[in-house]
Structure formats: C-alpha cells, structure tokens
Amino acid sequence: MSEQNVKKQRPVHLDLQTIRFPATAIASILHRISGVIMLFAIGILLWLLNSTLTSADGFASVQSLFDGFVMKFIIWGILTALGYHLLGGIRHLIMDAGHWEELTSGVASAKATFVLAVVFSIIAGIWVW
C-alpha cells in the first residue's frame, strides 16, 4: 500500500459519541478517575480529622455534619471511589503478575471488577445511611 492510500482511509474527524470503548479501557479510565477522586478526598478527610482534634466543639460540629444528606453522600462517594480503586488496583497487580493478560480474561476481569464495585458501593451506602 502506498502512503497516499493509507491517508485516504483515515477518518476526517472523530465522532466521540460513536466510539465504543472496550470494558478494559473503561476499567482503566475509571481506575484513574477514582484515584483523582481519592486525592481530593484526602483533603476533605484531613480537614475533618483536624476539625475533630482541635476541640470538643470542633468534634461536635463535624459530628453534626454527618447527620446531613450532603456529608453522607460525600462519604459514600469517597468509599465508592476507594472500593473501585482498590479492586482495580488488585486487578492491575494480578495482570502485572502475568495473569489475565489475554483479551477474553482481561475483559472478564474488568466486568467482574465493575460488578464487585457496584456490590461494594451498595454495601457502603447501606453502612453510611
């Protein structure tokens, strides 16, 4: 094939709404997103910890925050991100050890990670509320 034929076969523009990512790509992207969420969560959790350790009034104010829906939702989101990131990290470690490297097992492990993350998220929601 000549170089000119290859250029003609390439798309003029990419329509991102028509591109379907495989489960393995979605798992990898979500793993990165959950890591970023946890980075911001560390700041929130450290602020809460600092507030509880400064005084009894600070502890009482943080404790009253946990009665509200917004704080419960934030904590549930943090736990969900932590759970997914942990499951995705274990999946990546197993793949780095030389297992689940084939396409079919990689897709199956990605889907299993999704299912386990949903189960963990539901359990975390029950625990928080």
Side-chain angles (χ1 to χ4, degrees):
M1 272 181 119
S2 71
E3 187 177 326
Q4 198 170 25
N5 287 340
V6 173
K7 288 183 180 179
K8 287 181 181 180
Q9 294 175 353
R10 293 184 181 170
V12 177
H13 70 287
L14 291 176
D15 187 6
L16 295 178
Q17 294 177 344
T18 60
I19 295 175
R20 298 288 172 235
F21 290 107
T24 53
I26 294 170
S28 180
I29 292 167
L30 288 176
H31 186 257
R32 292 168 193 246
I33 290 171
S34 66
V36 171
I37 290 170
M38 288 187 349
L39 177 68
F40 289 106
I42 289 172
I44 294 169
L45 296 174
L46 284 176
W47 172 73
L48 290 170
L49 178 64
N50 182 46
S51 297
T52 60
L53 295 177
T54 55
S55 66
D57 291 334
F59 182 83
S61 66
V62 169
Q63 193 173 21
S64 68
L65 282 175
F66 279 93
D67 292 334
F69 174 79
V70 174
M71 185 55 76
K72 287 182 180 183
F73 184 76
I74 290 171
I75 295 301
W76 173 76
I78 290 171
L79 289 173
T80 299
L82 176 65
Y84 182 81
H85 197 75
L86 179 68
L87 291 168
I90 291 170
R91 176 179 173 269
H92 281 290
L93 285 174
I94 292 171
M95 290 173 67
D96 287 344
H99 306 287
W100 298 343
E101 291 179 330
E102 297 81 25
L103 184 61
T104 55
S105 59
V107 169
S109 68
K111 290 179 180 179
T113 301
F114 297 150
V115 170
L116 290 173
V118 168
V119 169
F120 181 83
S121 178
I122 291 169
I123 291 170
I126 292 169
W127 182 66
V128 168
W129 275 285

